[in-house]
Amino acid sequence: MMESNIKYIGVGRSGEGLIIATYANDRNLRDTPRSELQGILMNESDGDWRTRVGSEHGTWFAKGDSNKICYLVLARNGYPDRYATALLDELERLFTNQGTDVLLTCPADAYTKVMGGEMRNLAMKYEDLRNIDKLYTVNSQVLEVQNIAQAGIQQVLRNTEAAEVVSAKAQSLEGNARVFQNDSKRLERMMYWRKVKINCILIFVVIAIILYIIIPIIITQSNK
């Protein structure tokens, strides 16, 4: 009989050794890996972490979060790390949707039956590596397109920001030009009236000089 790629899936609370849910994809094992699962869950770990643990049945892939909820999958030896990692990420999303508070307080095996269908579907999805390869290729292409689109959007945003800067500078220059034009007109008016004032003063001085010269002559002529 061909060895299963995905053999066992489990979720539990690290540090307590408490198992929240399990699913045996390899029926030949049944609950044989349960003691190994409990042993891994007994390890106290803080923060987000990932690890691999060897087993006589294959390889355990495990990840934990900051709430000390641990997600595990037992796969055959040589199972690709990237697919095991993807499976654990999906498993985490499935259980996180149930509510973190509930996972932290529920009793042992509370979700084995409740989430049994979702865990079975997950095991079937990652059992066939050919389908996973196709999905992985499609996802990679989608991610590549998303990255290209995101880069294009960022470039458009940068161009928009640059255009806004240029527009702001143009508006500033236009405002400065209007201020300069107004100042020039005001200065021109000031110079005009100053010239008028100087001309008036010169005319007054000239008239005064003329009178100063003419009046004595007139007085002298009138006395003769």
Side-chain angles (χ1 to χ4, degrees), residues 114-174:
V114 175
M115 299 295 290
E118 284 81 355
M119 290 189 290
R120 181 179 65 252
N121 293 338
L122 200 58
M124 291 176 62
K125 175 181 177 180
Y126 285 89
E127 176 69 26
D128 190 342
L129 291 179
R130 290 173 299 179
N131 288 336
I132 292 297
D133 283 332
K134 292 177 182 177
L135 289 173
Y136 186 79
T137 300
V138 172
N139 288 336
S140 298
Q141 291 173 347
V142 170
L143 289 174
E144 184 178 359
V145 171
Q146 288 178 340
N147 291 334
I148 293 173
Q150 186 175 6
I153 292 172
Q154 290 176 348
Q155 184 62 43
V156 170
L157 291 175
R158 284 194 293 268
N159 292 339
T160 301
E161 290 175 356
E164 289 176 352
V165 170
V166 171
S167 177
K169 288 183 178 180
Q171 291 176 357
S172 177
L173 290 173
E174 184 179 355

Side-chain angles (χ1 to χ4, degrees), residues 31-44:
D31 279 341
T32 304
R34 189 179 178 89
S35 59
E36 295 180 355
L37 176 60
Q38 285 180 318
I40 297 172
L41 290 173
M42 288 300 296
N43 294 323
E44 186 79 30

Side-chain angles (χ1 to χ4, degrees), residues 5 13 29 44 56 86 112 121 136 149 155 161 197 221:
N5 285 317
R13 294 200 290 266
L29 293 178
E44 186 79 30
E56 61 177 311
T112 295
N121 293 338
Y136 186 79
Q155 184 62 43
E161 290 175 356
K197 187 184 294 185
Q221 292 295 328

Side-chain angles (χ1 to χ4, degrees), residues 5 31 34 67 76-77 93 96 116 125 141 147 149 153 159 174-175 180 182 186 191 196 211 214 218-219:
N5 285 317
D31 279 341
R34 189 179 178 89
N67 295 310
R76 67 167 176 79
N77 289 324
R93 285 193 293 271
T96 301
K125 175 181 177 180
Q141 291 173 347
N147 291 334
I153 292 172
N159 292 339
E174 184 179 355
F180 179 76
N182 294 334
R186 187 163 52 250
M191 294 302 295
V196 169
L211 291 175
I214 292 177
I218 293 174
I219 293 173

Side-chain angles (χ1 to χ4, degrees), residues 179-197:
V179 171
F180 179 76
Q181 186 178 8
N182 294 334
D183 290 344
S184 298
K185 289 181 179 180
R186 187 163 52 250
L187 180 61
E188 185 179 354
R189 286 195 297 269
M190 289 175 58
M191 294 302 295
Y192 170 78
W193 287 112
R194 182 176 294 180
K195 184 178 180 181
V196 169
K197 187 184 294 185

